[in-house]
Amino acid sequence: MNKTSIFLIVAAAMSLMACSGNKTERKAEPIAVKTETVKAGSDLQGRTYVGTVEEESSTSISFTGSGTLSRVYVEEGQAVRAGQLIAEMDKTQARNMLAAAEAQMKQANDALVRMQQLHDNGSLAEIKWVETQSAVEQAQASLDLAKKNLADCSVHTPVSGIVGKGVKQAGETVLPALAVASVLNINNVRIVVSVPEKEIANFTPKTPTTISVEALGGRTYQGGTITKGVEADGTTHTYDIKIHLQNTDHSLLPGMVCQVRTSTTPVQGRGLSVPITAVQKNAKGEQFVWTVKNSKAHRSIVTTGRASGNRIAIEEGLTEGDIVIVEGYQKLSEGVEVK
């Protein structure tokens, strides 16, 4: 064997040893994943509902008699104070009745003066004196009624608030108890939400809510006490809940639509949840999630509960503080290193 052959054999052997060494030293890169730490009280039961702003109370303003509207002093959306004049009916007939009553009253008083002298002289029968006095009383009653009828041609609001829809216009005929306008109390408002019957049990008077109003540029409010309806809608099988809210600046107006986000307390379970997509099934049909321990991925068998939105309750298999892989688990295998 010549020197050249020996050199080639040695070089080949050294090359093989170098390649073998490189294979031994090469190490797989950790797989990049996105994780989430399991926390108690997760917002599993959070729901988003559509709600409507409703006034705290509404007072209908109406006349006690019938007639034709002559003037209306308010319009929809106007702020009014208690005692403010709202509208007036045509007063012609009421004034005529008052004039007649005043004339009758004057006549009765004149008769009383004349009869008083005769009565004092003893030349008037007692029955005539009683009739004269009765005529005065009747005239006074008619006068008082005529004054009231004239006063009733004007109607005032007994409360402060905002004028609602349906304001009558001048020239329209009004009847007793027919509302000319309504005054809404919006110092406090209620957010009315229809809740499916299967979810109504999750609500308590202190359930936290966040209310967002698109009409006010997405302005948000923290809801107050909740009251629940006791009778379901026969068609939709929903119950109304009312979220009470302060409205001191009167920015919330009746009829505004809002988004209501709730965080109700689960009826059952420990309040642990994960994204639905993080839960998978193995060959045995068991549900599991990938968790991270010591920078390595491990399968954790779990028992799931109720789903809500994009999350699902975990009843068994996880504890608070566990780290769950929520993205990047497609290439994982048991014990693989992750980052």
Side-chain angles (χ1 to χ4, degrees):
M1 181 179 294
N2 56 34
K3 291 183 178 179
T4 302
S5 299
I6 294 174
F7 176 76
L8 291 174
I9 292 172
V10 172
M14 292 178 65
S15 177
L16 289 172
M17 291 176 63
C19 291
S20 176
N22 289 339
K23 287 183 179 179
T24 303
E25 294 175 0
R26 184 178 300 167
K27 187 176 181 182
E29 290 291 328
I31 298 175
V33 295
K34 183 177 180 180
T35 63
E36 176 183 298
T37 301
V38 178
K39 296 180 181 179
S42 301
D43 195 20
L44 168 64
Q45 301 296 324
R47 298 283 201 281
T48 299
Y49 302 90
V50 176
T52 305
V53 179
E54 182 183 88
E55 68 277 2
E56 184 178 43
S57 62
S58 175
T59 302
S60 295
I61 311 299
S62 60
F63 291 96
T64 57
S66 59
T68 303
L69 274 178
S70 59
R71 294 193 67 180
V72 178
Y73 296 95
V74 298
E75 59 185 13
E76 181 182 344
Q78 179 179 336
V80 295
R81 63 186 183 279
Q84 184 171 332
L85 180 62
I86 298 297
E88 290 180 326
M89 285 195 305
D90 181 65
K91 299 180 179 180
T92 303
Q93 184 178 2
R95 287 195 180 105
N96 291 338
M97 292 180 62
L98 177 60
E102 288 175 340
Q104 184 182 2
M105 185 76 246
K106 182 179 179 182
Q107 183 180 6
N109 284 330
D110 289 343
L112 181 65
V113 172
R114 292 194 303 270
M115 295 299 179
Q116 178 77 48
Q117 294 176 353
L118 296 175
H119 180 267
D120 293 344
N121 293 333
S123 56
L124 180 69
E126 189 66 27
I127 189 170
K128 288 294 184 180
W129 175 242
V130 172
E131 289 176 354
T132 302
Q133 290 179 313
S134 296
V136 172
E137 293 175 356
Q138 291 174 2
Q140 185 63 56
S142 297
L143 180 60
D144 291 342
L145 180 59
K147 289 180 178 179
K148 182 179 184 303
N149 288 337
L150 181 60
D152 288 345
C153 288
S154 300
V155 65
H156 301 74
T157 173
V159 296
S160 299
I162 301 295
V163 178
K165 294 193 300 182
V167 179
K168 298 295 184 181
Q169 301 299 315
E172 294 188 55
T173 299
V174 293
L175 299 171
L178 179 65
V180 175
S182 59
V183 176
L184 313 178
N185 179 3
I186 60 171
N187 292 326
N188 296 286
V189 295
R190 298 175 295 194
I191 310 300
V192 182
V193 180
S194 294
V195 177
E197 61 182 0
K198 65 180 180 181
E199 299 173 17
I200 193 65
N202 290 332
F203 286 87
T204 69
K206 295 184 178 180
T207 295
T209 57
T210 301
I211 299 157
S212 175
V213 186
E214 189 65 26
L216 301 178
R219 183 174 175 181
T220 59
Y221 300 81
Q222 295 303 312
T225 304
I226 293 177
T227 55
K228 296 193 292 186
V230 296
E231 189 173 347
D233 184 284
T235 303
T236 61
H237 297 285
T238 59
Y239 288 85
D240 281 347
I241 66 167
K242 295 182 179 180
I243 306 168
H244 298 265
L245 194 63
Q246 288 188 340
N247 186 34
T248 53
D249 62 353
H250 293 179
S251 57
L252 290 170
L253 299 176
M256 283 185 174
V257 177
C258 52
Q259 296 290 325
V260 179
R261 178 70 179 173
T262 68
S263 299
T264 58
T265 303
V267 177
Q268 297 179 343
R270 301 168 298 153
L272 305 181
S273 70
V274 297
I276 291 178
T277 53
V279 180
Q280 302 177 64
K281 284 188 178 182
N282 60 21
K284 298 180 182 180
E286 298 172 318
Q287 291 180 313
F288 71 93
V289 296
W290 287 103
T291 57
V292 179
K293 295 179 181 178
N294 299 322
S295 300
K296 293 184 179 181
H298 299 280
R299 289 186 182 89
S300 296
I301 304 300
V302 296
T303 301
T304 59
R306 189 172 69 175
S308 173
N310 63 350
R311 302 188 70 82
I312 190 167
I314 301 297
E315 296 182 351
E316 294 181 3
L318 293 179
T319 59
E320 185 176 6
D322 285 345
I323 299 175
V324 175
I325 298 173
V326 296
E327 291 183 18
Y329 45 75
Q330 292 81 359
K331 298 181 180 180
L332 297 181
S333 58
E334 181 66 27
V336 70
E337 190 171 355
V338 296
K339 67 176 180 180

